[in-house]
Structure formats: C-alpha cells, structure tokens
Amino acid sequence: MAATKSVWDKYKVRVSRGRPNTTVESGWLIPESLDLGPWREFQKTASEDELLTVIWSKILKIHDDDISAGLGITEGTIRYRLGRALRKLGSMTQGVSKVKNGSTGK
C-alpha cells in the first residue's frame, strides 16, 4: 500500500479526476451502455482518502488489514473512510437512477 500511495502521489497531478482515460488505447473496454457519470462525479468531489480507499478496497479487492498496515492507520479508520465514500458514491448513483426513471422528486 505504501508503494502504491507513493506512485499515486508522484503521478496524481497528471490524472484528471473525473475525466478518466477510457479510450481503447488505454486498455479499458467500457460498454457503451455503462453510465460513468456517477463515478466521474465521485472522482471530482471525493477526497483523496475516499477515492483511494474505494479503489483499493472495492476495485482492487485489497483487504482492510493490508490497507491499514500499508498506510499506518487503523482498520477502523479504513472502514470509516470506505463507508463515507460509498455513501457519497451511492447518493450520486441514486440521483442518476431517479433521473433515468423519470422521477426527479417534483
């Protein structure tokens, strides 16, 4: 984790959060029907801690104890950050599904 964090710190200025490189040349194959809007919005608004915790825990499937050991913080802190981030991401996803289904709350 510490090595991953140092690489992130080195290259994060080159990463345009909210505008991921999803071209064919980047190696990502994204189905056309997949709405990346909530994920892009999350990247723009999430703190670095929230973004990295979601990526490490939910996308890369790294265990909380490994993240904790690598960053030198408690597992409770990891779980708190992850919960906060997933609530934020979930609220963004809910907003998208309401608009798609035609119920804007009016």
Side-chain angles (χ1 to χ4, degrees):
M1 294 308 345
T4 315
K5 177 74 166 91
S6 67
V7 170
W8 169 262
D9 288 341
K10 182 177 178 181
Y11 292 104
K12 70 181 172 186
V13 294
R14 295 184 193 171
V15 176
S16 178
R17 285 175 56 176
R19 299 185 55 111
N21 184 1
T22 55
T23 63
V24 173
E25 295 82 25
S26 71
W28 292 98
L29 299 175
I30 307 294
E32 288 184 31
S33 62
L34 182 64
D35 181 7
L36 291 176
W39 176 248
R40 288 180 176 141
E41 186 62 28
F42 175 72
Q43 287 182 67
K44 288 180 198 175
T45 61
S47 70
E48 183 176 285
D49 292 340
E50 291 169 332
L51 179 62
L52 292 175
T53 303
V54 169
I55 291 170
W56 288 330
S57 180
K58 296 303 177 186
I59 297 173
L60 297 176
K61 305 288 187 198
I62 298 172
H63 294 282
D64 291 350
D65 58 338
D66 291 330
I67 298 171
S68 169
L71 296 179
I73 55 179
T74 67
E75 285 184 55
T77 300
I78 298 298
R79 286 194 278 284
Y80 173 78
R81 289 178 182 175
L82 183 59
R84 184 179 63 202
L86 291 176
R87 282 189 299 279
K88 185 181 287 187
L89 182 57
S91 69
M92 292 172 185
T93 304
Q94 291 298 319
V96 168
S97 65
K98 287 180 182 176
V99 171
K100 283 186 176 182
N101 292 328
S103 62
T104 58
K106 295 180 180 176

